Amino acid sequence: MTQVHNIFGRCITSFLALSSEVPSPVERLVNDAVIRLMDSDMIIEDTFAPMAQLQEPRVAQPLESFEQTVFIDQLTDKIKDEGFGPHFHQIIGLFGSIMLGLCATDEQRQLVDEWLEQGHFGNFMMTDGGGSTLAQWKSTLTPAEDGQLSLNVDKKWVIEGQNVGFAMVVCQQKGRPFPMTVLLSPEKSEALQQKACGGSFLDGKLQLGDVKGEVQVNKAEFLSKGGLGSVNRFLTLVRPRFVKSLMHHLLWLQDQNRLTLDDDDRSAIDFMINMANWCNAQDKFSIHSVDRVLALKFTSNELLQSIVLKGAVNNINDQRDLLGFTKMEGSSYRCLFEIYSKFKRARR
């Protein structure tokens, strides 16, 4: 008898299976999670027919390589022995460097190098005070005088947002269906209101903050090189490395007697590390590239949550850390929604 969770779970497991056979504990984890996350549209309007088989991409392009990934991978390996905390900021900073390499002009990258030499930390601002969808965002660009634009910033839960050096602010501009990213200098960033939000994470190594205010910008400050495609390439490069870091952090917690892993957990962690390595080894970018790293992040989220739910994490702060990471770099619902939308289009 066909079960609902087996139909919709294939949104995720079909991409996981691109690297190797999916272990049964991982398949169960995914299928159970998908049932919990199904929204009204999926239940009411879907045909509940079997998901279409994945097709080979018709178009594949070379995926850019960056020397930063060598350093990221070295730091990721250190997490097994030292935890995520001591290396989190450096890894995130290297992620930002890759993003600038894909999206910034030569002049913008030169400016960033100068700011870094002056000791300024770069802050990436995504989560908006207005809501989850672009149309709800309060961080907006509107025309001002003399060809300038007014950037209203209303961002929350920014990494080290209480102490902004320079900023990459993702915002909406009327008439554009996709977000824009604006590069703000240390001087303009300093003019924004900044405050810490909530308690720290990772044994006090990570603090989040809220950032608000209004500054004048011009088009020369837009990170527009490569468009939306560059953002997708960026996510393809960094998400597997982020997930691998999380898996190594779990192994470190176990070595510190702060976490108890059972056989199913270890099987899932091994699979996730192997798939992350497989994703990192791919040198082509195609329609499947973003979906396979979304599937990887979805499964990472659900593994972290299941470990907390079963009471395997001794310390309440470690539980909070793991739950926090299920929201960073893509929540389960967002990952599922983006993948399902493509399957859904293919089925109608």
Side-chain angles (χ1 to χ4, degrees), residues 94-113:
L94 289 165
F95 285 172
S97 179
I98 291 173
M99 180 179 177
L100 288 168
L102 286 164
C103 302
T105 64
D106 292 341
E107 292 79 8
Q108 288 170 332
R109 288 197 297 273
Q110 184 176 344
L111 280 173
V112 168
D113 288 341

Side-chain angles (χ1 to χ4, degrees), residues 281-301:
Q282 304 306 303
D283 60 1
K284 295 289 190 298
F285 180 83
S286 73
I287 191 173
H288 291 335
S289 297
V290 173
D291 291 334
R292 70 190 180 215
V293 297
L294 284 168
L296 181 65
K297 183 56 169 63
F298 176 97
T299 310
S300 170
N301 294 342

Side-chain angles (χ1 to χ4, degrees), residues 7 48 62 68 105 107 131 187 223 238 259 264:
I7 295 173
F48 281 59
Q68 291 95 324
T105 64
E107 292 79 8
E187 294 74 23
L223 292 179
V238 305
L259 167 65
D264 285 355

